[in-house]
Amino acid sequence: MSPVGAIKVVGISGSLRKGSYNSALLRAAAELLPDGMTLDVVDLAELPFYNNDVEQQGLPPGVQRFRERIAGADALLLAAPEYNFSISGVLKNALEWASRPPDPPMSGKPCALMGASVSPLGTARGQFHLRHVCVSLNAIALNTPHVDVTEARKKFDDAGRLIDQPSLDSIRQLLAELRTFTLRLRGETSAPVE
Ligand code: FNR
């Protein structure tokens, strides 16, 4: 566990796309972290498809590293694209690997969710499915605030920087809530973050 007041967050984007808006949300979050919080983003590209035969032979090194990074985190920040009204296969696959015993590393960890979509409807349906999966993993998903960046093409600049102030504000609030909740779970009190 991190020292008092310090919170190590591991960020996961459910998109492997170079120009991913969801990966860009994590970059935006990295610039909005409250005091004491750090963000370490993992790359899901090194994870093979979950296969129980492979698991029986011993976890592949990429999977082992992925699980260790989650295990070393105090909290998680998931940026989930919505694919066909659900989460991406890339993210679901990563969650399958994270879910396996012994010691599934997301169990009991606070988890903040966000998502970006090019559609005006956003990622609410996908995020709801993600909450459902979090229940299975015993990851504790924050209920609010909702960070759902709709019509993403209008809200990021050509360099992939989030430029929409309400979206930036909602990420800042989400991180503040993640901080408060994580400290509360550890039995530490927290000063409110502006
Ligand atoms: C999509 N997209 C999409 N968007 C949405 O709002 N609801 C949806 O159900 C889907 N479904 C969907 C399925 C598949 C297979 C693809 C490839 C795309 C569009 C999606 O929001 C868009 O591609 C985002 O840009 C994906 O996120 P990243 O890659 O930019 O992070």
Side-chain angles (χ1 to χ4, degrees):
M1 196 199 287
S2 298
V4 172
I7 298 174
K8 229 168 106 177
V9 179
V10 160
I12 300 174
S13 167
S15 174
L16 302 180
R17 204 167 69 83
K18 201 164 145 237
S20 162
Y21 294 119
N22 286 281
S23 301
L25 284 185
L26 289 173
R27 290 197 298 276
E31 295 182 9
L32 297 168
L33 297 172
D35 283 350
M37 187 178 272
T38 57
L39 177 63
D40 172 30
V41 175
V42 301
D43 181 1
L44 300 186
E46 63 176 21
L47 297 182
F49 279 128
Y50 176 77
N51 178 334
N52 187 256
D53 295 337
V54 172
E55 184 187 7
Q56 301 288 325
Q57 290 155 21
L59 293 180
V63 172
Q64 191 69 44
R65 278 194 295 276
F66 173 64
R67 287 173 59 101
E68 282 167 5
R69 284 171 83 179
I70 295 175
D74 300 300
L76 300 168
L77 178 60
L78 306 184
E82 180 173 286
Y83 277 8
N84 299 310
F85 296 2
S86 184
I87 57 174
S88 63
V90 165
L91 180 57
K92 186 69 162 45
N93 182 59
L95 296 174
E96 320 301 17
W97 281 119
S99 71
R100 303 299 295 155
D103 304 321
M106 284 175 67
S107 183
K109 302 243 184 216
C111 205
L113 314 185
M114 55 186 184
S117 160
V118 296
S119 99
L121 294 176
T123 62
R125 294 157 297 195
Q127 288 198 41
F128 196 69
H129 277 191
L130 181 54
R131 287 181 184 283
H132 195 138
V133 177
C134 282
V135 172
S136 172
L137 272 70
N138 193 33
I140 308 170
L142 297 188
N143 287 327
T144 56
H146 299 282
V147 177
D148 191 5
V149 178
T150 60
E151 300 187 279
R153 289 190 189 97
K154 298 180 188 166
K155 296 177 181 168
F156 293 82
D157 68 14
D158 291 343
R161 284 178 64 90
L162 183 61
I163 50 172
D164 179 60
Q165 197 56 49
S167 300
L168 289 163
D169 292 344
S170 67
I171 293 174
R172 196 192 304 276
Q173 285 164 16
L174 181 68
L175 294 169
E177 187 58 34
L178 185 62
R179 175 180 180 273
T180 302
F181 188 69
T182 305
L183 293 179
R184 194 183 301 150
L185 271 185
R186 295 203 318 224
E188 297 172 27
T189 53
S190 70
V193 177
E194 295 304 319

